[in-house]
Amino acid sequence: MTTFAKPFVVSPALADPAERAARRRPGPTRAETLATGLAEAITDGRLPPGTTLEEERLAAAHGVSRTPVREALRLLAATGLVEQRPRRGAVVARPEPGRLAEMFQAMAELEAICASLCAVALSRADKARLASQHATMGRIVEDGWLDAYRDANVSFHEAIYAGCGNGYLAEMADATRRRLAPFRAAQLGGRDRLAASHAEHGAIVAAIQAGDAAAAAAAVRAHLAATEWSWGVLAGQPPIRLG
Amino acid sequence: MTTFAKPFVVSPALADPAERAARRRPGPTRAETLATGLAEAITDGRLPPGTTLEEERLAAAHGVSRTPVREALRLLAATGLVEQRPRRGAVVARPEPGRLAEMFQAMAELEAICASLCAVALSRADKARLASQHATMGRIVEDGWLDAYRDANVSFHEAIYAGCGNGYLAEMADATRRRLAPFRAAQLGGRDRLAASHAEHGAIVAAIQAGDAAAAAAAVRAHLAATEWSWGVLAGQPPIRLG
DNA sequence: ATGCGGCATGATGTATGCAAGGTGCCGACC
DNA sequence: GGTCGGCACCTTGCATACATCATGCCGCAT
């Protein structure tokens, strides 16, 4: 767990102006706007898993035609946040329990890799930044401020993703976390769990600061194994209609 | 590298008839057919990276209207195989070299995890099956049959993905491999590389059969580190028009 | 009463038309 | 001669209309 395929650079970066221009991204289309909005609504819990997403209704609600709605749904379907059954419409994804378990395990492994890479790749300054972020969360725990901790928690984990120095890996981890978000909304329930979570974060940070990749991976697995129990109860809820 | 978040089951599987019916997937739509066809063409190398994909041309070529073409392109864009620039059309994805390196590293790590899981999760019978698959490839190497080895190689790696017992992880690994396929088309060039590849596979199989997760992961990383040099040459090729 | 088959309904899948934005070319100006 | 500005063409984005299929109800036969 200490050696990785090195992230070397293969050929000179394509930096000529034509290439730059060709990669420029003009303003987002309605479909993309819709997709990001719906994605947020799903991860936030405003659109619970199982909610049916009727094209016409969504189109009317957002003042557009069905075409961009369809494209947004396609986009989200490919992301995994919604499930499209041909000719039977789309619903907010509600993976079977077994698949949820797989996703959770995958997230743990992805995050373990990211933490390992952080341990060996992060600069001293960045490690210090991570530690200070962790310290801030400690103060939030002392205040018992649940909502703030939830947000800070996401930031903390995203910092680990981003810090691994591999954007592709970070995106996969982040996507997985987002797909699991609807099923974790009710967690971090008790104050003791809050403190425990923070302590586990501490172990991760310590391992990263020490540059110990294996310990970082183990700490991440322990952390996620400790939280996994809490989302199972939501797995079997019935479909809910979009009002 | 020896403990994992366990893939336990959270609640009884949703097996009631209504649920089953609701998850049934009727026949594929034109958009999906197109998407799979284009995806194959891209990974096969028939549509090289940088190829511009004009909607109307594709529509005419496949005898459909622009609408399903657009949806197929959206689907592929979310998969990462094509890149969509709003109002500027779609092209077959041509990641920058740095991103290719990231993807390759990510694939190595994903595959390392899969191999580790194989080592601890695969049944004795399945391990034997994997070994026999490997033995078959040995015969192909002796014959120097390049094309057959290429196909068998894909099957071998997919067997490792599938064998890890985590479908989600397997899908991510497979998707990453497919996205990298266009940039690896010209590899496995020499006969010596063929034999070396087979030997590296042997190390992986041996570690899996021994149940040694750490060794399996290391063997996978070594294998992929040995092949990575060969695809860089394709990274900087210019855009190609679809004829 | 129960099961089955046909039909109405309403959704999605597809095609087409229109409008807006981008690209490339050409000419004028410096 | 080089560069900037305007224009025409082409492609994409979006809206609308039609075709197709899943679903649920209702009536009929058993």
mmCIF file of all heavy atoms in Angstrom, chain B residues 9-31:
data_model
loop_
_atom_site.group_PDB
_atom_site.id
_atom_site.type_symbol
_atom_site.label_atom_id
_atom_site.label_comp_id
_atom_site.label_asym_id
_atom_site.label_seq_id
_atom_site.Cartn_x
_atom_site.Cartn_y
_atom_site.Cartn_z
ATOM 1 N N VAL B 9 -25.164 -6.996 4.050
ATOM 2 C CA VAL B 9 -26.485 -6.635 3.532
ATOM 3 C C VAL B 9 -27.264 -5.905 4.617
ATOM 4 O O VAL B 9 -27.248 -6.290 5.777
ATOM 5 C CB VAL B 9 -27.260 -7.882 3.082
ATOM 6 C CG1 VAL B 9 -28.675 -7.528 2.720
ATOM 7 C CG2 VAL B 9 -26.560 -8.497 1.885
ATOM 8 N N VAL B 10 -27.924 -4.861 4.201
ATOM 9 C CA VAL B 10 -28.516 -3.952 5.173
ATOM 10 C C VAL B 10 -29.920 -4.350 5.577
ATOM 11 O O VAL B 10 -30.279 -4.355 6.743
ATOM 12 C CB VAL B 10 -28.555 -2.529 4.603
ATOM 13 C CG1 VAL B 10 -29.030 -1.571 5.645
ATOM 14 C CG2 VAL B 10 -27.189 -2.163 4.090
ATOM 15 N N SER B 11 -30.736 -4.672 4.594
ATOM 16 C CA SER B 11 -32.121 -5.044 4.885
ATOM 17 C C SER B 11 -32.529 -6.102 3.873
ATOM 18 O O SER B 11 -31.880 -6.287 2.867
ATOM 19 C CB SER B 11 -33.028 -3.816 4.792
ATOM 20 O OG SER B 11 -33.243 -3.488 3.451
ATOM 21 N N PRO B 12 -33.611 -6.801 4.119
ATOM 22 C CA PRO B 12 -34.027 -7.846 3.190
ATOM 23 C C PRO B 12 -34.186 -7.308 1.775
ATOM 24 O O PRO B 12 -34.645 -6.192 1.568
ATOM 25 C CB PRO B 12 -35.374 -8.312 3.754
ATOM 26 C CG PRO B 12 -35.772 -7.285 4.756
ATOM 27 C CD PRO B 12 -34.498 -6.693 5.261
ATOM 28 N N ALA B 13 -33.807 -8.086 0.795
ATOM 29 C CA ALA B 13 -33.872 -7.632 -0.590
ATOM 30 C C ALA B 13 -35.315 -7.321 -0.990
ATOM 31 O O ALA B 13 -36.261 -7.971 -0.564
ATOM 32 C CB ALA B 13 -33.306 -8.711 -1.512
ATOM 33 N N LEU B 14 -35.463 -6.288 -1.809
ATOM 34 C CA LEU B 14 -36.800 -5.921 -2.292
ATOM 35 C C LEU B 14 -37.176 -6.907 -3.386
ATOM 36 O O LEU B 14 -36.799 -6.746 -4.537
ATOM 37 C CB LEU B 14 -36.790 -4.517 -2.866
ATOM 38 C CG LEU B 14 -36.004 -3.458 -2.095
ATOM 39 C CD1 LEU B 14 -35.939 -2.189 -2.912
ATOM 40 C CD2 LEU B 14 -36.655 -3.195 -0.767
ATOM 41 N N ALA B 15 -37.924 -7.907 -3.043
ATOM 42 C CA ALA B 15 -38.200 -8.970 -4.011
ATOM 43 C C ALA B 15 -39.685 -9.106 -4.315
ATOM 44 O O ALA B 15 -40.085 -10.000 -5.032
ATOM 45 C CB ALA B 15 -37.656 -10.294 -3.504
ATOM 46 N N ASP B 16 -40.511 -8.196 -3.791
ATOM 47 C CA ASP B 16 -41.939 -8.332 -4.061
ATOM 48 C C ASP B 16 -42.202 -8.068 -5.544
ATOM 49 O O ASP B 16 -41.468 -7.344 -6.208
ATOM 50 C CB ASP B 16 -42.740 -7.370 -3.183
ATOM 51 C CG ASP B 16 -42.254 -5.956 -3.307
ATOM 52 O OD1 ASP B 16 -41.076 -5.711 -2.930
ATOM 53 O OD2 ASP B 16 -43.015 -5.112 -3.778
ATOM 54 N N PRO B 17 -43.259 -8.654 -6.066
ATOM 55 C CA PRO B 17 -43.522 -8.614 -7.511
ATOM 56 C C PRO B 17 -43.627 -7.196 -8.061
ATOM 57 O O PRO B 17 -43.101 -6.917 -9.142
ATOM 58 C CB PRO B 17 -44.853 -9.354 -7.645
ATOM 59 C CG PRO B 17 -44.964 -10.174 -6.400
ATOM 60 C CD PRO B 17 -44.258 -9.405 -5.341
ATOM 61 N N ALA B 18 -44.290 -6.317 -7.338
ATOM 62 C CA ALA B 18 -44.452 -4.954 -7.829
ATOM 63 C C ALA B 18 -43.093 -4.311 -8.058
ATOM 64 O O ALA B 18 -42.841 -3.684 -9.095
ATOM 65 C CB ALA B 18 -45.264 -4.121 -6.829
ATOM 66 N N GLU B 19 -42.234 -4.492 -7.102
ATOM 67 C CA GLU B 19 -40.884 -3.914 -7.214
ATOM 68 C C GLU B 19 -40.154 -4.492 -8.409
ATOM 69 O O GLU B 19 -39.568 -3.777 -9.209
ATOM 70 C CB GLU B 19 -40.111 -4.213 -5.921
ATOM 71 C CG GLU B 19 -38.766 -3.540 -5.835
ATOM 72 C CD GLU B 19 -38.887 -2.059 -5.557
ATOM 73 O OE1 GLU B 19 -40.005 -1.614 -5.175
ATOM 74 O OE2 GLU B 19 -37.901 -1.345 -5.726
ATOM 75 N N ARG B 20 -40.233 -5.796 -8.543
ATOM 76 C CA ARG B 20 -39.609 -6.471 -9.673
ATOM 77 C C ARG B 20 -40.109 -5.886 -10.995
ATOM 78 O O ARG B 20 -39.332 -5.569 -11.886
ATOM 79 C CB ARG B 20 -39.931 -7.971 -9.611
ATOM 80 C CG ARG B 20 -38.894 -8.810 -8.919
ATOM 81 C CD ARG B 20 -37.757 -9.156 -9.872
ATOM 82 N NE ARG B 20 -36.713 -9.911 -9.195
ATOM 83 C CZ ARG B 20 -35.737 -9.315 -8.521
ATOM 84 N NH1 ARG B 20 -35.683 -8.001 -8.438
ATOM 85 N NH2 ARG B 20 -34.815 -10.043 -7.950
ATOM 86 N N ALA B 21 -41.418 -5.752 -11.096
ATOM 87 C CA ALA B 21 -42.000 -5.236 -12.326
ATOM 88 C C ALA B 21 -41.532 -3.810 -12.585
ATOM 89 O O ALA B 21 -41.231 -3.443 -13.716
ATOM 90 C CB ALA B 21 -43.521 -5.285 -12.254
ATOM 91 N N ALA B 22 -41.467 -3.024 -11.546
ATOM 92 C CA ALA B 22 -41.094 -1.630 -11.719
ATOM 93 C C ALA B 22 -39.653 -1.495 -12.171
ATOM 94 O O ALA B 22 -39.284 -0.524 -12.819
ATOM 95 C CB ALA B 22 -41.304 -0.864 -10.409
ATOM 96 N N ARG B 23 -38.821 -2.490 -11.862
ATOM 97 C CA ARG B 23 -37.409 -2.396 -12.246
ATOM 98 C C ARG B 23 -37.137 -3.027 -13.597
ATOM 99 O O ARG B 23 -36.042 -2.928 -14.117
ATOM 100 C CB ARG B 23 -36.542 -3.077 -11.172
ATOM 101 C CG ARG B 23 -36.416 -2.258 -9.915
ATOM 102 C CD ARG B 23 -35.450 -2.877 -8.942
ATOM 103 N NE ARG B 23 -35.458 -2.178 -7.661
ATOM 104 C CZ ARG B 23 -34.753 -1.068 -7.421
ATOM 105 N NH1 ARG B 23 -34.011 -0.549 -8.356
ATOM 106 N NH2 ARG B 23 -34.817 -0.489 -6.227
ATOM 107 N N ARG B 24 -38.143 -3.710 -14.148
ATOM 108 C CA ARG B 24 -37.966 -4.345 -15.444
ATOM 109 C C ARG B 24 -37.561 -3.314 -16.498
ATOM 110 O O ARG B 24 -38.032 -2.191 -16.485
ATOM 111 C CB ARG B 24 -39.278 -5.027 -15.826
ATOM 112 C CG ARG B 24 -39.286 -5.670 -17.171
ATOM 113 C CD ARG B 24 -40.666 -6.271 -17.409
ATOM 114 N NE ARG B 24 -41.742 -5.351 -17.021
ATOM 115 C CZ ARG B 24 -42.916 -5.290 -17.657
ATOM 116 N NH1 ARG B 24 -43.157 -6.098 -18.659
ATOM 117 N NH2 ARG B 24 -43.844 -4.449 -17.263
ATOM 118 N N ARG B 25 -36.736 -3.734 -17.417
ATOM 119 C CA ARG B 25 -36.249 -2.809 -18.442
ATOM 120 C C ARG B 25 -36.728 -3.234 -19.821
ATOM 121 O O ARG B 25 -36.168 -4.129 -20.421
ATOM 122 C CB ARG B 25 -34.722 -2.750 -18.425
ATOM 123 C CG ARG B 25 -34.168 -1.926 -17.306
ATOM 124 C CD ARG B 25 -32.848 -1.289 -17.730
ATOM 125 N NE ARG B 25 -32.613 -0.076 -16.968
ATOM 126 C CZ ARG B 25 -32.290 1.084 -17.528
ATOM 127 N NH1 ARG B 25 -32.200 1.182 -18.819
ATOM 128 N NH2 ARG B 25 -32.072 2.127 -16.789
ATOM 129 N N PRO B 26 -37.733 -2.555 -20.362
ATOM 130 C CA PRO B 26 -38.219 -2.891 -21.698
ATOM 131 C C PRO B 26 -37.159 -2.618 -22.744
ATOM 132 O O PRO B 26 -36.106 -2.060 -22.461
ATOM 133 C CB PRO B 26 -39.426 -1.966 -21.873
ATOM 134 C CG PRO B 26 -39.746 -1.449 -20.517
ATOM 135 C CD PRO B 26 -38.473 -1.459 -19.766
ATOM 136 N N GLY B 27 -37.467 -2.999 -23.961
ATOM 137 C CA GLY B 27 -36.528 -2.895 -25.069
ATOM 138 C C GLY B 27 -35.836 -1.544 -25.150
ATOM 139 O O GLY B 27 -36.399 -0.523 -24.776
ATOM 140 N N PRO B 28 -34.612 -1.560 -25.659
ATOM 141 C CA PRO B 28 -33.822 -0.331 -25.711
ATOM 142 C C PRO B 28 -34.392 0.663 -26.700
ATOM 143 O O PRO B 28 -34.975 0.283 -27.706
ATOM 144 C CB PRO B 28 -32.441 -0.830 -26.156
ATOM 145 C CG PRO B 28 -32.723 -2.095 -26.904
ATOM 146 C CD PRO B 28 -33.942 -2.702 -26.271
ATOM 147 N N THR B 29 -34.243 1.899 -26.445
ATOM 148 C CA THR B 29 -34.681 2.950 -27.350
ATOM 149 C C THR B 29 -33.591 3.191 -28.396
ATOM 150 O O THR B 29 -32.472 2.708 -28.274
ATOM 151 C CB THR B 29 -34.952 4.241 -26.589
ATOM 152 O OG1 THR B 29 -33.698 4.774 -26.162
ATOM 153 C CG2 THR B 29 -35.818 3.984 -25.376
ATOM 154 N N ARG B 30 -33.952 3.968 -29.431
ATOM 155 C CA ARG B 30 -32.959 4.269 -30.463
ATOM 156 C C ARG B 30 -31.760 4.991 -29.868
ATOM 157 O O ARG B 30 -30.618 4.752 -30.271
ATOM 158 C CB ARG B 30 -33.601 5.147 -31.539
ATOM 159 C CG ARG B 30 -34.612 4.415 -32.381
ATOM 160 C CD ARG B 30 -34.991 5.267 -33.588
ATOM 161 N NE ARG B 30 -36.419 5.222 -33.845
ATOM 162 C CZ ARG B 30 -37.047 4.212 -34.424
ATOM 163 N NH1 ARG B 30 -36.377 3.149 -34.755
ATOM 164 N NH2 ARG B 30 -38.338 4.261 -34.638
ATOM 165 N N ALA B 31 -32.039 5.863 -28.912
ATOM 166 C CA ALA B 31 -30.930 6.617 -28.316
ATOM 167 C C ALA B 31 -29.929 5.678 -27.659
ATOM 168 O O ALA B 31 -28.719 5.823 -27.830
ATOM 169 C CB ALA B 31 -31.483 7.610 -27.285
#
